[in-house]
Amino acid sequence: MKGIVFSEFIELVEEKFGLDIADTIIEESDLPSQGAYTQVGTYDHTELIQLVSKLSEHTEIPADDLVKTFGEHMLQRFVALYPQFFENVDNCFDFLDTIENKVHVEVQKLYPEAELPSFDSMKSENGMQLIYRSNRPFSALAYGLIRGSATYFNEDIDIEMDDQSSDGKSFVVFTLSHKN
Ligand code: HEM
């Protein structure tokens, strides 16, 4: 996983919980990188899982909730870092429809070593289904990124998650619909 994800995570922890907690979770996790992340480096994604689980222990907030919040924050950061992906797109579902065939394709070109999930998307009259597949367990991150996208486009959406993951492989069907 790219260093940018880790550095954004540590920054958010510092901002929300303070520098001490950030230092503590880095020290208490058994990290090959020792928490010295650079934006362009690549690190084992299990380091993020360890950091989140330590943060969950210290804050008593469930790990999934922490990761969802991180996903929402990450989306805002993507808006600032990669504004080109938001140009000429005017609603949340159209944007989510571009992740598989445009956004992550460009990300893979920028960072050939990035490990990206796959998304199948199907739009319907009043909603959308997104199927998340990955060898990594980051469906809560996907949830947060979807929630963050809705916030960015000023839309109120319901997100249902049907987790059919097995054998360490993620397979999650997200059903999205507009609240009315
Ligand atoms: C402009 C928008 C976006 C950009 C620039 C972007 C970029 C990235 C990058 C750089 C990574 C890390 C890959 C690695 O380090 O190996 C990543 C991972 C990921 N992205 Fe995106 N992404 C965007 C939007 C989204 C959205 C909206 C979703 C959800 C629908 C999403 C779902 C994920 C997930 C779940 C991962 C974690 C890896 C995994 O699950 O296997 N991304 N993305």
Side-chain angles (χ1 to χ4, degrees), residues 40 52 71 86-87 95 100 105 119 124 133 146 178:
V40 291
V52 168
F86 298 87
E87 280 159 16
F95 171 67
E100 175 71 8
V105 173
F119 286 100
S124 62
R133 289 190 183 85
I146 293 168
H178 280 286

Short mmCIF file of all heavy atoms in Angstrom, two decimals, residues 40 52 71 86-87 95 100 105 119 124 133 146 178:
data_model
loop_
_atom_site.label_atom_id
_atom_site.label_comp_id
_atom_site.label_asym_id
_atom_site.label_seq_id
_atom_site.Cartn_x
_atom_site.Cartn_y
_atom_site.Cartn_z
N VAL A 40 5.93 8.39 -1.39
CA VAL A 40 6.18 7.56 -2.58
C VAL A 40 6.55 6.12 -2.25
O VAL A 40 6.58 5.27 -3.14
CB VAL A 40 7.28 8.18 -3.48
CG1 VAL A 40 6.79 9.45 -4.13
CG2 VAL A 40 8.56 8.43 -2.69
N VAL A 52 -4.68 0.56 12.94
CA VAL A 52 -6.10 0.77 13.22
C VAL A 52 -6.50 -0.03 14.46
O VAL A 52 -7.23 0.46 15.32
CB VAL A 52 -6.97 0.36 12.01
CG1 VAL A 52 -8.45 0.29 12.39
CG2 VAL A 52 -6.77 1.33 10.85
N GLY A 71 -11.84 6.77 5.51
CA GLY A 71 -12.23 6.79 4.10
C GLY A 71 -12.88 8.12 3.72
O GLY A 71 -12.59 8.68 2.65
N PHE A 86 -12.48 14.87 -10.59
CA PHE A 86 -13.80 15.37 -10.19
C PHE A 86 -14.35 16.36 -11.21
O PHE A 86 -15.48 16.81 -11.09
CB PHE A 86 -13.72 16.01 -8.79
CG PHE A 86 -13.31 15.01 -7.74
CD1 PHE A 86 -11.98 14.75 -7.48
CD2 PHE A 86 -14.27 14.28 -7.06
CE1 PHE A 86 -11.60 13.79 -6.54
CE2 PHE A 86 -13.91 13.32 -6.12
CZ PHE A 86 -12.57 13.08 -5.86
N GLU A 87 -13.49 16.70 -12.20
CA GLU A 87 -13.95 17.64 -13.22
C GLU A 87 -14.93 16.94 -14.16
O GLU A 87 -14.76 15.76 -14.46
CB GLU A 87 -12.75 18.16 -14.03
CG GLU A 87 -12.00 19.25 -13.30
CD GLU A 87 -10.57 19.42 -13.78
OE1 GLU A 87 -10.23 18.93 -14.88
OE2 GLU A 87 -9.78 20.03 -13.04
N PHE A 95 -19.76 9.63 -10.53
CA PHE A 95 -18.37 9.61 -10.08
C PHE A 95 -17.95 8.18 -9.72
O PHE A 95 -16.91 7.69 -10.16
CB PHE A 95 -18.17 10.55 -8.89
CG PHE A 95 -16.82 10.42 -8.24
CD1 PHE A 95 -15.67 10.80 -8.93
CD2 PHE A 95 -16.69 9.89 -6.97
CE1 PHE A 95 -14.41 10.66 -8.36
CE2 PHE A 95 -15.42 9.74 -6.38
CZ PHE A 95 -14.30 10.12 -7.08
N GLU A 100 -13.51 2.34 -11.35
CA GLU A 100 -12.88 1.14 -11.91
C GLU A 100 -12.17 1.41 -13.24
O GLU A 100 -11.05 0.98 -13.45
CB GLU A 100 -13.96 0.06 -12.08
CG GLU A 100 -13.47 -1.20 -12.77
CD GLU A 100 -12.53 -2.05 -11.93
OE1 GLU A 100 -12.35 -1.76 -10.74
OE2 GLU A 100 -11.96 -3.01 -12.49
N VAL A 105 -7.44 3.23 -12.81
CA VAL A 105 -6.56 2.95 -13.95
C VAL A 105 -5.43 3.99 -13.99
O VAL A 105 -4.25 3.65 -14.16
CB VAL A 105 -7.37 2.98 -15.28
CG1 VAL A 105 -6.45 2.87 -16.48
CG2 VAL A 105 -8.42 1.88 -15.29
N PHE A 119 -14.05 -2.93 -8.86
CA PHE A 119 -15.46 -2.58 -8.64
C PHE A 119 -16.27 -2.86 -9.89
O PHE A 119 -15.90 -2.42 -10.98
CB PHE A 119 -15.60 -1.08 -8.32
CG PHE A 119 -15.14 -0.71 -6.95
CD1 PHE A 119 -13.89 -0.14 -6.75
CD2 PHE A 119 -15.95 -0.94 -5.84
CE1 PHE A 119 -13.45 0.18 -5.48
CE2 PHE A 119 -15.52 -0.62 -4.57
CZ PHE A 119 -14.27 -0.05 -4.38
N SER A 124 -29.14 1.79 -11.58
CA SER A 124 -30.54 1.51 -11.86
C SER A 124 -31.29 2.84 -11.80
O SER A 124 -30.66 3.88 -11.62
CB SER A 124 -31.10 0.53 -10.84
OG SER A 124 -31.04 1.11 -9.55
N ARG A 133 -14.36 -6.11 -4.84
CA ARG A 133 -13.56 -7.34 -4.71
C ARG A 133 -12.11 -6.95 -4.45
O ARG A 133 -11.57 -6.08 -5.14
CB ARG A 133 -13.58 -8.13 -6.02
CG ARG A 133 -14.89 -8.79 -6.34
CD ARG A 133 -14.70 -9.74 -7.52
NE ARG A 133 -15.96 -10.35 -7.93
CZ ARG A 133 -16.83 -9.78 -8.75
NH1 ARG A 133 -16.58 -8.58 -9.25
NH2 ARG A 133 -17.95 -10.39 -9.06
N ILE A 146 -17.17 5.99 -0.28
CA ILE A 146 -18.49 6.19 -0.91
C ILE A 146 -19.24 7.29 -0.15
O ILE A 146 -19.79 8.23 -0.74
CB ILE A 146 -19.31 4.88 -0.90
CG1 ILE A 146 -18.65 3.84 -1.82
CG2 ILE A 146 -20.75 5.14 -1.32
CD1 ILE A 146 -19.21 2.42 -1.68
N HIS A 178 -30.81 6.92 -3.13
CA HIS A 178 -31.05 8.27 -2.62
C HIS A 178 -32.10 8.24 -1.54
O HIS A 178 -33.10 7.53 -1.67
CB HIS A 178 -31.48 9.20 -3.75
CG HIS A 178 -30.32 9.68 -4.55
ND1 HIS A 178 -29.43 10.62 -4.08
CD2 HIS A 178 -29.87 9.32 -5.77
CE1 HIS A 178 -28.50 10.83 -4.98
NE2 HIS A 178 -28.73 10.06 -6.01
#
